[in-house]
Amino acid sequence: KKIGQNIKYDLIVLRRNGIEISPLDDTMLLSYVLDAGNNRHNMDTLSELHLGHKTISFKDVVGSGKKQLNFSEVNLKEATEYAAEDADVTLRLYEILSDRINSEKLNKIYEIFEKPMINLLSKLEMVGIKVDDKYLQKLSEKFKIRLKKIEKDIYKLSGKEFNIGSPKQLGEIIYNDLKIAKLKKTKKGSLATSAKILEDLALTGHKFPNLVLEWRQVSKLKSTYTDALQDHISKKTKRVHTSFLLAATNTGRLASSDPNLQNIPIKTPDGKEIRKAFIAEKNNILISADYNQIEMRILADMADVKALKKAFQNKQDIHSLTASQVFGCPINEVTDDLRRKAKAINFGIIYGITQYGLAKQIAVSNQEALDFINAYFKKFPEIKDYMNSTIKTCRKQGYVSNIFGRRIHIRGINDKNFSVRSFQERAAINAPIQGSAADIIRLAMIKIDKTFENEKNEAKMLLQIHDELIFECSKVNENKIKKIIKEAMTSISSSEYHMFSIPLEVTINSGNNWGEAH
């Protein structure tokens, strides 16, 4: 048995050199299954926590900044001490954590949902996804021109030029020059210019905060994606190879880094434009498979919400149904505006939205928002019961569990501070839902990967972005691959680990780029 701390990294290094290793175990993932939400799962933290030992840090060995050495330049004695300590600490952690995983009966979660992902994600990372660098350059230029125009409009309204990216200068314009808000300061005493402050200001009808928000959004997309993605294209493969992080969230959701592809905006035209940069090889096609309203389905299943379950079974539009129930009108008379409000309530409830949050989102008074929430719970009382019992259980045991039994610890659930406690209560309500969705997609990925392997398919899984999976295959095999993907993803509703009372639905599309496929 080969034991590693974040062994996926080592697996990729060895695989690139023609060496395959198995069987495997990973101390980071053992810790993640045992203590998600309690602590971080990097070796330095785990060593201090479980062994009372402070490890030699990588920085101590190679230095930092301009003087940072490559590890191959470190003298042998220091390199040996650092590497030997790594191996020793990993083994000692494994002995402690593997005992706990068995005694706390969490080995099933580890074996079913974590271990298979090591090999699976290493394949995704090595395959990568092709990116059109010329298209990115054009898009960067487009964003640059747009930023110049927004800047001009901002300077016109403020009456002078200033550094929009400087919170200090921006604060002076808002509070001293334009006087469009009552003075607000951060805890450190500087002028407050957070996104929330600007969003609240924008609701009062001022153009200036809207322009600043737009400027921030476009700047971020340009620097994070259209500029940075060009630097991430491998010279060898001409593809981008993101790293998937297995223990970075509390709920089991994957994260990604270098580059982070999980945060490209889904609904905005700009997000769609960026997605178009991800392309298929010649004679190939990209396939996008997305779970439909998976979190609402999980809530209906977990809380046994009769009306919602019936609607899903009858393939009714869930937001129109909610609108008719909450706003008291026949389903065929639900307007687009009422459906939009109902959708905000549906998703808001999953994330534990407050009346103030809802009021802001759908532009109504706080009282109206409260009336809507009360009407919602009256029509779907099982949801209120689920929320109350989840918080009660969490207060008692310190964690919540998803439908498969994965634990998510909620540390501040009994905090004396009201705002800390309220925030953690909202997290406790959402974590089992989000965590279940994350594990459903893991099961689907594992199943598809096995099918591809058994059938010796040329199709490749490339990315997992929340509830969406991206694949690449030859155009001639498109329909066959789509069928395999859809069957695997929908079959999870009757898996051996959990029998769903409602079907899981998948939308599947294809195109020459991710924008078209999505």
Side-chain angles (χ1 to χ4, degrees):
K1 181 177 283 187
K2 270 63 67 181
I3 299 156
Q5 163 74 17
N6 188 16
I7 203 165
K8 173 164 66 71
Y9 178 86
D10 310 74
L11 184 70
I12 292 168
V13 174
L14 292 168
R15 192 171 274 167
R16 281 196 184 125
N17 289 278
I19 302 162
E20 288 294 332
I21 55 166
S22 75
L24 308 171
D25 263 317
D26 192 325
T27 46
M28 177 182 80
L29 299 183
L30 286 166
S31 169
Y32 185 52
V33 170
L34 287 161
D35 292 314
N38 270 343
N39 50 262
R40 291 177 68 210
H41 311 283
N42 59 314
M43 181 186 276
D44 297 347
T45 300
L46 298 181
S47 179
E48 286 201 46
L49 193 66
H50 299 294
L51 307 171
H53 171 76
K54 192 168 174 32
T55 52
I56 306 160
S57 82
F58 189 65
K59 216 183 264 183
D60 292 341
V61 180
V62 296
S64 59
K66 284 181 181 174
K67 290 181 180 175
Q68 187 174 331
L69 301 172
N70 190 302
F71 196 76
S72 60
E73 299 169 289
V74 175
N75 78 62
L76 195 59
K77 188 179 182 297
E78 279 185 57
T80 304
E81 271 181 32
Y82 174 81
E85 181 189 62
D86 249 23
D88 177 47
V89 166
T90 301
L91 180 61
R92 289 201 276 154
L93 285 172
Y94 176 74
E95 285 162 353
I96 292 166
L97 297 171
S98 58
D99 278 354
R100 268 186 69 197
I101 212 106
N102 290 322
S103 66
E104 294 182 34
K105 295 186 172 52
L106 289 169
N107 37 356
K108 246 186 174 178
I109 299 292
Y110 173 68
E111 294 290 339
I112 294 161
F113 297 96
E114 295 298 334
K115 237 165 95 165
M117 298 302 283
I118 300 169
N119 190 39
L120 193 155
L121 291 176
S122 69
K123 284 195 255 182
L124 266 69
E125 289 180 21
M126 290 181 78
V127 171
I129 186 166
K130 193 170 184 180
V131 171
D132 184 340
D133 58 338
K134 286 185 175 63
Y135 173 82
L136 279 176
Q137 285 162 19
K138 281 181 192 165
L139 199 50
S140 260
E141 195 52 40
K142 204 170 148 186
F143 283 156
K144 191 176 161 185
I145 293 162
R146 206 162 121 207
L147 281 170
K148 286 264 181 287
K149 192 194 173 305
I150 301 167
E151 280 166 14
K152 240 184 197 170
D153 293 343
I154 287 173
Y155 298 151
K156 200 176 170 184
L157 283 176
S158 60
K160 64 177 175 189
E161 290 193 13
F162 67 100
N163 178 359
I164 304 164
S166 157
K168 186 176 183 289
Q169 290 183 36
L170 179 63
E172 280 166 6
I173 299 285
I174 291 170
Y175 299 109
N176 302 337
D177 297 2
L178 296 177
K179 294 183 171 61
I180 53 174
K182 283 182 183 168
L183 190 65
K184 275 186 186 166
K185 291 194 173 186
T186 64
K187 282 177 185 171
K188 288 181 179 172
S190 50
L191 297 169
T193 58
S194 68
K196 190 184 179 306
I197 299 266
L198 291 171
E199 281 161 12
D200 288 347
L201 265 179
L203 287 174
T204 62
H206 286 287
K207 259 189 184 175
F208 183 82
N210 261 327
L211 286 168
V212 175
L213 285 166
E214 193 189 343
W215 182 88
R216 282 184 181 177
Q217 171 77 349
V218 178
S219 297
K220 193 179 175 196
L221 292 176
K222 185 179 182 295
S223 60
T224 312
Y225 296 110
T226 58
D227 292 350
L229 274 174
Q230 295 178 54
D231 300 330
H232 281 290
I233 299 169
S234 158
K235 287 182 174 64
K236 200 174 172 185
T237 65
K238 303 282 183 277
R239 293 165 85 93
V240 164
H241 302 264
T242 186
S243 291
F244 287 98
L245 312 175
L246 269 163
T249 68
N250 293 342
T251 58
R253 253 192 174 188
L254 294 182
S256 84
S257 70
D258 302 317
N260 176 359
L261 300 179
Q262 304 271 351
N263 284 350
I264 301 170
I266 290 173
K267 294 185 176 76
T268 67
D270 290 337
K272 189 158 182 144
E273 287 294 303
I274 291 167
R275 276 186 172 76
K276 285 180 187 169
F278 297 84
I279 57 172
E281 297 282 357
K282 199 181 174 195
N283 300 324
N284 279 5
I285 197 141
L286 292 185
I287 295 170
S288 159
D290 207 339
Y291 275 117
N292 291 347
Q293 297 173 333
I294 190 163
E295 292 191 349
M296 284 301 298
R297 288 171 195 270
I298 289 164
L299 176 63
D301 182 71
M302 282 180 92
D304 193 21
V305 189
K306 310 284 186 295
L308 291 184
K309 280 164 73 169
K310 194 178 169 193
F312 279 125
Q313 278 152 359
N314 297 336
K315 296 190 185 312
Q316 259 183 306
D317 177 62
I318 215 77
H319 303 311
S320 296
L321 170 85
T322 301
S324 88
Q325 297 272 22
V326 172
F327 304 117
C329 65
I331 203 156
N332 57 353
E333 287 176 26
V334 169
T335 61
D336 286 348
D337 186 51
L338 287 180
R339 188 186 179 276
R340 181 187 62 82
K341 285 176 178 169
K343 189 177 179 180
I345 299 169
N346 272 333
F347 288 117
I349 294 294
I350 291 173
Y351 289 94
I353 203 164
T354 61
Q355 68 186 84
Y356 311 107
L358 183 64
K360 195 168 134 186
Q361 207 173 329
I362 61 174
V364 295
S365 70
N366 289 334
Q367 187 54 51
E368 278 178 290
L370 182 62
D371 292 343
F372 291 158
I373 290 171
N374 289 338
Y376 185 91
F377 288 138
K378 203 172 175 186
K379 291 294 178 186
F380 306 117
E382 304 99 326
I383 295 177
K384 188 71 179 161
D385 294 343
Y386 158 78
M387 291 164 84
N388 291 337
S389 69
T390 302
I391 290 168
K392 195 178 168 188
T393 306
C394 189
R395 283 201 200 294
K396 204 164 129 190
Q397 60 191 23
Y399 64 83
V400 289
S401 300
N402 76 2
I403 52 175
F404 303 106
R406 181 192 287 274
R407 288 181 191 172
I408 303 123
H409 295 85
I410 311 287
R411 283 171 70 184
I413 195 76
N414 292 313
D415 201 283
K416 287 186 176 73
N417 180 309
F418 173 76
S419 60
V420 171
R421 195 172 64 247
S422 304
F423 180 80
Q424 297 295 1
E425 282 173 0
R426 291 198 292 277
I429 291 162
N430 176 249
I433 302 166
Q434 197 184 96
S436 299
D439 279 341
I440 286 167
I441 205 155
R442 283 179 184 230
L443 286 176
M445 290 169 81
I446 293 161
K447 194 165 186 177
I448 294 164
D449 184 56
K450 241 181 219 158
T451 312
F452 282 2
E453 236 172 45
N454 293 343
E455 297 189 7
K456 295 191 169 41
N457 260 315
E458 47 77 38
K460 299 269 191 295
M461 198 186 307
L462 308 184
L463 294 176
Q464 188 256 58
I465 311 290
H466 306 313
D467 306 329
E468 180 186 11
L469 294 173
I470 312 292
F471 303 85
E472 184 173 6
C473 72
S474 62
K475 285 180 179 173
V476 288
N477 283 335
E478 181 189 342
N479 291 335
K480 179 189 163 191
I481 298 302
K482 277 182 173 175
K483 196 169 176 250
I484 290 170
I485 294 164
K486 198 162 193 172
E487 276 175 10
M489 288 176 80
T490 51
S491 73
I492 305 302
S493 60
S494 54
S495 77
E496 61 199 278
Y497 312 113
H498 180 82
M499 286 300 289
F500 275 84
S501 50
I502 41 177
L504 292 175
E505 280 192 8
V506 173
T507 300
I508 197 155
N509 290 304
S510 54
N512 295 314
N513 62 60
W514 185 12
E516 280 178 19
H518 186 80

